[in-house]
Amino acid sequence: MLTDLRTWLLLVRAWLRAAAQYPASFALLMTGSFLVSGLDVAAILVIFSHVRELGGFTLPEVMFVYGTAGVSFALANLFAGNADNLGAYIRSGDFDVMLIRPVSAFVQLGADRFSPQKVGRLAQAAVVLAIALPQLGIPWSRAWMIPLMILCGFVIFTAIWAITGALQFLLVDAPEVSAAFTFGGGQLTQYPLSVYGADLVRGVTFIVPLAFVSWQPALYVLGREDPLGLPYALRFAAPAAALILSLLAALAWRAGLRRYRSTGS
Amino acid sequence: MIELDGVSRTFTVRHRERGRLRRRAQVVEAVRDLSFRVEAGEFVGYLGPNGAGKSTTIKMLIGILTPTAGRIRVAGLDPSRRRTALARRIGVVFGQRTTLWWDLPLKDSFELSRLLYKVDREQYRRRLDELSERLDLGGLLSTPVRQLSLGQRMRGDIAAALLHDPDVLVLDEPTIGLDVVSKAAVRAFLRGLNAERGTTVLLTTHDLGDIERLCRRVMLIDHGRLGFDGTVDELRATVPGEASIEDVVARIYLGSAPAPSLEPPNYPQ
């Protein structure tokens, strides 16, 4: 684990050094992505200028759900988001090169072509969370959940990236399928799930465990009833969901690697 | 140092036939029942026509591809199961593709390799000095890899593969596309490496000059099977008379029945 983090940091430092040769482009990319992801928040503000609540939640509460899910997603995107492009690495043969180095190929893939845009997205989500928190007056007895839920969300998103990446060993031309789950999941979790239909919420609770990224632990932190009446214990199930999903992801990635066919040269 | 026992690798290729929606699956054997041993300190050339299974064999040796059947040991390890552990013991050079980081200066690429391979700093310095002198890299260290010529890049790639002082060096077509001078430099370096450090070298090539000037032993693979295994002189002696090594090899390649497609499947580009 720590070795993987070290590897990731080493590779990202190298990419940042390469990117820093063009400082203006570096700064523009970062501000650009900060502003573009800011439009998401603008959309929420527009909604609240017309209604007082969304799915039964007030503006600061929605911003809390948005911020925690957004930080988890942005961290996972930072770490592993490039796994969406695995198919291109396989076709070009660059994945072979990653496989001859003595470090995890998944980590190398995640760090490759690291772009400062991803930092802008993280900063934006963190700002939203920082604005929401003081308005909510969450007691310390429940606030301990916040860092834990962000960590679990990060693990869940990273695992989804690994699983959809592993699928690309079989379906080399399917980055869009991957993005549907990764970026789609990122978008979905940014709103209180009560705005969606009940069947969808059950689906993302028990099948693809996205409800544990922000929704279930957020109900606990905000001290709210579950609008769908699902069991109270689910609010504490995020670590279990993260653990199970990451085990599945590790298995899927290994199975994918064993089926790897390389290119014909 | 390298042991293969009854190793096979098949690929399933799907063909879409005209007028049919279902695709027909065809199993292609890229390597079949291949067995050989390479002892420590040997210098072996691995030869074969396009699509004979050379690259597939190399990729199984370094742990990138998992064999369908059989047993492989390189430096005592099973490559596909212990890929990352094996990576510290072997060096790999692909002639067709660089293992360096495209946008980084050569010395940053080397430094990153040092950290990933966890090579001790002092040992690394000595090794880098020696390699850059022998491969004449001194003036290139601060040049980004993308600005290097093919010959310079190849020398950089060879240096990067040797920074962690591996027991085995595997090269897939290291002299492809190089001019006469660069070729000679690479050959001289490899010969010295094998003679002085005792590094085991296995290389694939289409350049018979590599074979004649470097390899004490030649293995020839065709249709996924070993067609010849012996010294260069023994290879020449398979055809009586004054035949050149080119003639001998061409005769062996042509003597075999026309090959079905044995290339591993190409993904659409």
Side-chain angles (χ1 to χ4, degrees):
Chain A
M1 259 323 205
L2 280 178
T3 327
D4 287 344
L5 193 63
R6 172 182 174 271
T7 305
W8 187 83
L9 288 171
L10 286 172
L11 291 168
V12 165
R13 195 181 62 179
W15 282 109
L16 287 179
R17 203 181 292 169
Q21 291 176 356
Y22 309 98
S25 150
F26 188 94
L28 277 174
L29 278 174
M30 209 153 129
T31 349
S33 93
F34 184 88
L35 292 177
V36 168
S37 34
L39 290 176
D40 274 2
V41 186
I44 294 178
L45 294 177
V46 167
I47 295 172
F48 273 93
S49 69
H50 294 283
V51 295
R52 297 183 60 99
E53 47 182 43
L54 189 60
F57 289 79
T58 63
L59 178 60
E61 287 173 330
V62 173
M63 282 169 71
F64 176 77
V65 172
Y66 177 96
T68 47
V71 169
S72 291
F73 179 78
L75 281 173
N77 184 33
L78 210 64
F79 183 70
N82 197 34
D84 277 347
N85 302 321
L86 177 61
Y89 283 84
I90 292 177
R91 273 182 313 229
S92 68
D94 289 338
F95 193 64
D96 281 358
V97 173
M98 294 183 174
L99 288 175
I100 65 173
R101 298 194 184 119
V103 288
S104 155
F106 183 70
V107 174
Q108 290 180 66
L109 182 64
D112 208 52
R113 310 229 150 256
F114 183 87
S115 147
Q117 271 172 295
K118 297 177 172 182
V119 182
R121 191 189 286 266
L122 176 64
Q124 184 269 342
V127 167
V128 173
L129 188 59
I131 295 171
L133 278 177
Q135 301 182 45
L136 289 166
I138 295 162
W140 284 109
S141 62
R142 296 204 300 256
W144 60 270
M145 180 62 101
I146 298 172
L148 181 65
M149 71 193 268
I150 289 175
L151 177 70
C152 291
F154 163 72
V155 173
I156 289 173
F157 278 128
T158 305
I160 292 177
W161 252 301
I163 291 171
T164 54
L167 276 178
Q168 295 192 39
F169 285 114
L170 302 176
L171 317 163
V172 178
D173 277 319
E176 293 81 9
V177 179
S178 291
F181 282 93
T182 53
F183 281 85
Q187 290 289 324
L188 182 113
T189 49
Q190 289 179 347
Y191 291 94
L193 294 187
S194 50
V195 307
Y196 303 108
D199 286 335
L200 180 77
V201 178
R202 285 198 191 91
V204 295
T205 307
F206 299 112
I207 302 171
V208 189
L210 285 172
F212 299 102
V213 168
S214 175
W215 174 240
Q216 283 291 345
L219 288 176
Y220 170 76
V221 174
L222 299 171
R224 300 287 302 252
E225 291 287 311
D226 187 337
L228 263 75
L230 293 175
Y232 188 79
L234 285 181
R235 294 167 188 210
F236 305 100
L243 190 68
I244 292 170
L245 201 64
S246 46
L247 285 176
L248 283 177
L251 288 175
W253 183 256
R254 289 181 62 148
L257 268 186
R258 288 193 78 77
R259 273 170 196 72
Y260 177 54
R261 303 158 62 120
S262 185
T263 40
S265 73
Chain B
M1 192 56 82
I2 302 174
E3 285 172 53
L4 276 80
D5 249 324
V7 172
S8 303
R9 170 74 205 207
T10 58
F11 291 100
T12 312
V13 187
R14 290 179 198 285
H15 294 284
R16 195 187 293 276
E17 285 175 18
R18 267 225 305 218
R20 277 208 194 170
L21 272 169
R22 289 263 321 249
R23 294 193 295 175
R24 197 169 51 89
Q26 189 196 355
V27 176
V28 172
E29 288 185 294
V31 169
R32 35 186 141 174
D33 197 21
L34 187 66
S35 303
F36 63 80
R37 290 171 69 95
V38 175
E39 303 300 334
E42 280 197 87
F43 200 128
V44 183
Y46 195 49
L47 229 64
N50 296 114
K54 287 192 306 293
S55 288
T56 302
T57 315
I58 295 288
K59 284 174 183 171
M60 288 194 288
L61 290 180
I62 62 185
I64 291 182
L65 288 176
T66 311
T68 327
R71 177 177 175 278
I72 305 182
R73 288 286 177 279
V74 177
L77 300 169
D78 178 346
S80 68
R81 292 190 178 278
R82 305 287 313 281
R83 179 172 49 78
T84 46
L86 181 65
R88 287 180 209 288
R89 310 275 307 271
I90 61 172
V92 181
V93 175
F94 291 126
Q96 310 258 36
R97 141 177 328 131
T98 183
T99 56
L100 303 165
W101 284 267
W102 209 243
D103 297 307
L104 298 183
L106 201 51
K107 66 168 183 302
D108 289 14
S109 244
F110 288 161
E111 175 66 14
L112 193 50
S113 279
R114 174 186 88 78
L115 292 163
L116 293 181
Y117 283 84
K118 296 192 174 150
V119 180
D120 167 72
R121 193 184 297 271
E122 191 45 44
Q123 200 185 332
Y124 165 79
R125 262 240 305 283
R126 259 180 286 134
R127 193 92 178 107
L128 181 60
D129 286 348
E130 187 192 332
L131 287 168
S132 37
E133 191 203 314
R134 296 220 163 183
L135 286 163
D136 196 18
L137 294 169
L140 303 172
L141 288 174
S142 44
T143 313
V145 172
R146 65 181 130 79
Q147 289 173 15
L148 297 177
S149 74
L150 185 59
Q152 295 169 335
R153 204 212 75 203
M154 183 49 57
R155 285 182 276 142
D157 256 306
I158 292 174
L162 293 169
L163 285 172
H164 57 290
D165 200 7
D167 303 327
V168 186
L169 180 64
V170 178
L171 306 104
D172 196 5
E173 305 191 22
T175 54
I176 195 165
L178 299 190
D179 65 51
V180 190
V181 180
S182 300
K183 234 178 232 184
V186 166
R187 283 175 184 158
F189 174 79
L190 291 177
R191 195 167 29 226
L193 177 80
N194 174 257
E196 290 159 32
R197 292 190 87 92
T199 308
T200 312
V201 181
L202 177 72
L203 67 83
T204 75
T205 186
H206 288 299
D207 186 327
L208 297 169
D210 291 347
I211 301 290
E212 280 188 298
R213 288 182 183 74
L214 290 174
C215 305
R216 287 189 290 279
R217 177 178 168 196
V218 185
M219 289 192 294
L220 211 142
I221 186 175
D222 199 7
H223 296 130
R225 290 182 215 267
L226 215 51
F228 175 85
D229 185 354
T231 63
V232 177
D233 288 336
E234 284 167 359
L235 177 65
R236 207 178 265 123
T238 56
V239 178
E242 290 285 301
S244 72
I245 188 105
E246 271 86 358
D247 292 339
V248 177
V249 170
R251 196 170 298 201
I252 297 178
Y253 285 6
L254 290 169
S256 46
S261 166
L262 289 168
E263 287 280 351
N266 277 303
Y267 294 107
Q269 291 291 326

